[in-house]
Amino acid sequence: MEDLTFFSLGRVTLLGLLSAAVLLPLFSFEFQWLGESAIRPINNSLNWMEGQVNSDSSTLENRSFNWVSILQLVYIIGLIYSISKLVIGLFKTWNLISKSQKLKTGDHVIVIHERFIPASFFNYILLPEYPEGNQEFNQILLHESVHIRKGHTWDVLFLQVIKSIFWFNPVIYALEKQLREIHEFQADQEVTNSYSPIAYSRLLLKQLSKDCGLQFMNNFNQFQTKKRIMMMNKSKSNAIQKNRFLLSIPLLALMIGLFSCDMAINQADLTGTWTGTDFQFEQSEGPDLSAMIEGGRALHEGGKLTLNEDGTMSITSGQGEMNGSGTYRFYTNGNILITTMDGGEETSYEVISLSEEELVTKHDVAMDTPMGKVAGTITLTYKR
């Protein structure tokens, strides 16, 4: 997109992608059928088979909390610094404008102060001096008036607010660079329609040693002079090259998938009564204990697992007998369901898949028997 002369279309595309990146995370489209997880916690949930749990959930939770707290603190410090820098800059600019000489010309106001460099800010054109009739200053005035007419200050201010919030994201800085370049290309294009490109190029080169001013202004000399001169002398892009902007459509679709498609399972999705429909045991170690496996299948199939909204749960057999009750917690990071029975026994399940009608869990089990150690993986299927 950088080498195309469709500057207005490029501007709209960049602003559209930036707005989408900010707004899409605020919306959520559920596509749970797309995602599965693959975690292997050890579970000892069935009464007929005593297992061993090898995870300490409370320790993991505390470590995660500490790490998240540090990241949150770093983000807040960066956010406060970025917003403070922006607000102070705006205040200083308005304060300096209020103390400066002003000349009303058409739809904009020329503000003159020795501390200014040529720049635009809303409907103000900021200049260090204003020698009327000077051809170079007339070119600068025309350049800055294009920024004002096209509302470039609003673009930049919007971008600075977003950059303050997402100060850690390098993509925002890349978008800012491209958007500011497009602003300059648009203004340069209109100037060279009225003045000689050669004379205007010389003017740009004369401005190279000047300061680049504040971050939220459109400054006359703020971006690559060589690139601007090359774009001024570049032939207009072929209309068929507009098709390159269609690449933003799959990019937008990717952003929707990354930021708005909610494929994660949450605790509310699990609430309800689930009836066991299938039991599979894949043995990895030990003697053949088919009778014990069939006993587990008989307990599961037709039995009911009830997960309530308040975090309580119960397990009943197909005959309606209570097999246990307690509480449960669900961790979206890893799709881990942890239950704590009334007797204090804590167990964990890996949620393999979840839909409106079906729940599938998997867990590894290990136990010692008179015939030796038995270990394997159990997959349980439920219908809501």
Side-chain angles (χ1 to χ4, degrees), residues 254-275:
L254 177 62
M255 292 168 65
I256 292 174
L258 289 175
F259 301 128
S260 295
C261 293
D262 186 7
M263 293 183 288
I265 302 170
N266 56 61
Q267 185 159 317
D269 298 327
L270 290 168
T271 58
T273 299
W274 300 91
T275 301

Side-chain angles (χ1 to χ4, degrees), residues 128-306:
E129 57 179 330
Y130 180 47
E132 290 191 58
N134 183 291
Q135 189 173 11
E136 288 188 349
F137 270 84
N138 287 339
Q139 293 177 57
I140 293 174
L141 283 174
L142 178 56
H143 178 99
E144 300 304 335
S145 67
V146 175
H147 286 311
I148 292 174
R149 189 170 70 254
K150 293 186 175 295
H152 288 169
T153 300
W154 289 107
D155 293 3
V156 175
L157 195 58
F158 169 67
L159 191 60
Q160 292 305 316
V161 172
I162 299 305
K163 193 169 73 171
S164 297
I165 298 172
F166 300 101
W167 57 266
F168 56 87
N169 191 339
V171 175
I172 300 296
Y173 296 87
L175 287 175
E176 177 188 27
K177 177 179 177 293
Q178 287 207 10
L179 184 60
R180 283 183 179 270
E181 284 182 348
I182 287 176
H183 286 173
E184 297 309 312
F185 295 157
Q186 284 186 305
D188 292 341
Q189 187 179 56
E190 294 212 21
V191 174
T192 54
N193 288 337
S194 303
Y195 293 91
S196 164
I198 296 176
Y200 184 61
S201 298
R202 291 197 187 109
L203 176 60
L204 289 177
L205 292 172
K206 286 176 64 175
Q207 298 291 320
L208 277 176
S209 61
K210 302 291 182 67
D211 180 24
C212 287
L214 294 170
Q215 59 183 345
F216 47 82
M217 291 185 180
N218 290 106
N219 302 305
F220 183 74
N221 67 321
Q222 68 180 335
F223 275 100
Q224 306 174 25
T225 299
K226 179 180 178 181
K227 190 171 183 179
R228 289 170 64 182
I229 293 174
M230 290 175 61
M231 291 301 290
M232 279 189 286
N233 293 281
K234 185 179 177 64
S235 301
K236 287 189 175 181
S237 301
N238 192 300
I240 197 171
Q241 291 180 298
K242 287 184 178 180
N243 293 333
R244 289 167 62 176
F245 288 93
L246 295 176
L247 293 173
S248 61
I249 296 176
L251 179 58
L252 181 61
L254 177 62
M255 292 168 65
I256 292 174
L258 289 175
F259 301 128
S260 295
C261 293
D262 186 7
M263 293 183 288
I265 302 170
N266 56 61
Q267 185 159 317
D269 298 327
L270 290 168
T271 58
T273 299
W274 300 91
T275 301
T277 58
D278 188 50
F279 176 101
Q280 297 295 329
F281 179 62
E282 183 179 346
Q283 189 168 344
S284 60
E285 182 181 349
D288 182 14
L289 297 175
S290 300
M292 185 176 294
I293 303 305
E294 289 305 316
R297 178 178 287 108
L299 287 173
H300 172 72
E301 294 180 355
K304 297 186 184 300
L305 169 67
T306 301

Side-chain angles (χ1 to χ4, degrees), residues 56-68 329 331:
D56 187 340
S57 61
S58 60
T59 301
L60 291 174
E61 188 175 356
N62 289 335
R63 289 178 182 173
S64 176
F65 173 79
N66 292 336
W67 179 244
V68 169
R329 307 184 305 280
Y331 295 93

